[in-house]
Amino acid sequence: MDSIRDSSDPTDRRLLDEFQRGFPLIPRPFAELAARLGSTPADILDRLRRLTAAGAVARVGAAFRPHRVGASTLAAMAVPPGDMVRIAALVGGFEEVNHNYEREHRLNLWFVVTAADGARVRAVLAEIEAATGLPVLDLPLERGYHLDLGFPLWT
Amino acid sequence: MDVNGASVAERVRPAGPPGDNDRLLRRLRDGLPLVARPFLAIGQAIGQSEAGVIAAIRDLVETGAASRFGIIVDHAALGFTANAMVVWDVPDERVDAVGAALGGRRGVSLCYRRPRRPPVWPYNLFTMIHGRNRDEVRALVEELADGCGLAGLPRELLFTVRRFKQTAPCYGRDGRE
């Protein structure tokens, strides 16, 4: 993995930096990548196999946008530090909670609630407040400027 | 992994007609097969033409159902192990311009506006910033503040401590992306 982290191979870097979006949707896409990177299709496929095996590449595919179906919100709580594991388990026990992180702040537990509609999201937040005895901050998305579009790693 | 911050979990599988499109989406979960003609290979697996698969994927991107199609990297495996949700209090009349400027900058995976909840929560602009260590994240935040007109505005860095749960959204049916 260190060889990946510290990869100074310029073709690896360009492959990972330049094709996080705008992958060519043509019959022989890897040949197009090879042409742009001054390589061969077989070499590009070998690199992708190696980078995938090393864990650096999750897949070549689509990232889907939020809010296409259902409703969701980002929620936060101030959990007494000694109680974090118990509270986090309570929160994570809700099947509508699909993302649950501890962060360094007075508001130290952050989670996403997703459900079929907004009423169900609000109901789940109320259930979480009841189960934990802690108030929940409800921060629904108002506008996305940049949602998982990838970002340059080296440049 | 917290690569995409809290909001990646808000992403869902796109709505669409069941049938061919569902089968294509299920295929795409694992990514393109690493062969010379990957769209042909997918088409053969689900009974569609190569051109039909390409058109369907193009449609996903053009309709906005997919935010992108490309190489999905695992930032942690590449050494990006530090990340923070960085929140800013940006005047309402400037927040859209600043948000647009932040997207696509180095280390920024997400940028979005959420409501303030005074007095407990004064911040309206949320970003996820990734670096190889905390100092790099702090340096990126300074760089963004200077480069995007955010210098001097109230902000906080909420470094990620640990992940308790990250699963695909559940809508009462198979909602895995």
Side-chain angles (χ1 to χ4, degrees), chain A residues 1 4-6 15-16 19-31 33 45 48-49 51-52 54-74 81 84-85 88-89 91-107 109-116 137-155, chain B residues 1-2 4-6 8-15 25 28-39 50 54 57-58 60 63-81 83 85 95-96 99-100 103-115 117 120-121 125-126 128 130 132 134 156-171 177:
Chain A
M1 195 66 77
I4 298 296
R5 289 186 185 197
D6 305 326
L15 186 61
L16 295 177
F19 297 99
Q20 292 181 34
R21 53 192 305 197
F23 187 85
L25 297 174
I26 56 176
R28 298 179 182 274
F30 301 111
L33 266 55
L45 287 169
L48 285 170
R49 287 190 195 102
L51 290 164
T52 302
V57 167
R59 66 185 185 277
V60 179
F64 289 106
R65 282 191 188 279
H67 299 298
R68 302 299 291 191
V69 178
S72 63
T73 196
L74 175 65
M84 177 56 79
V85 172
V91 171
F94 284 81
E95 69 172 8
E96 293 87 353
V97 172
N98 55 303
H99 199 286
N100 191 21
Y101 278 84
E102 181 181 2
R103 302 192 191 281
E104 283 183 9
H105 193 268
R106 188 185 68 80
L107 290 161
L109 188 65
W110 290 78
F111 52 96
V112 172
V113 174
T114 306
L137 194 62
D138 177 11
L139 300 169
L141 185 70
E142 289 184 338
R143 180 155 181 197
Y145 303 106
H146 185 76
L147 297 171
D148 191 24
L149 298 175
F151 60 86
L153 299 165
W154 287 284
T155 49
Chain B
M1 176 177 61
D2 189 30
N4 298 297
V8 76
E10 295 175 86
R11 92 167 51 135
V12 300
R13 189 162 82 97
L25 292 173
L28 284 179
R29 284 176 192 169
D30 299 325
L32 295 185
L34 297 176
V35 298
R37 297 180 70 176
F39 305 111
E50 181 180 48
I54 288 174
I57 293 172
R58 180 166 291 135
L60 284 177
T63 60
S67 56
R68 62 187 166 108
F69 192 92
I71 296 175
I72 313 289
V73 305
D74 183 326
H75 295 97
L78 287 162
F80 285 73
T81 53
N83 61 69
M85 186 172 79
V95 67
D96 286 350
R105 298 287 298 247
R106 187 162 64 99
V108 180
S109 66
L110 292 168
C111 182
Y112 36 78
R113 192 180 79 211
R114 297 182 185 276
R117 304 290 190 202
V120 287
W121 189 254
L125 189 67
F126 290 61
M128 279 302 302
H130 305 261
R132 292 173 179 83
R134 289 190 173 201
E156 286 192 82
L157 282 68
L158 285 72
F159 279 103
T160 305
V161 179
R162 59 182 150 169
R163 178 183 69 190
F164 290 110
K165 185 178 185 183
Q166 182 173 332
T167 57
C170 176
Y171 300 95
E177 57 154 328

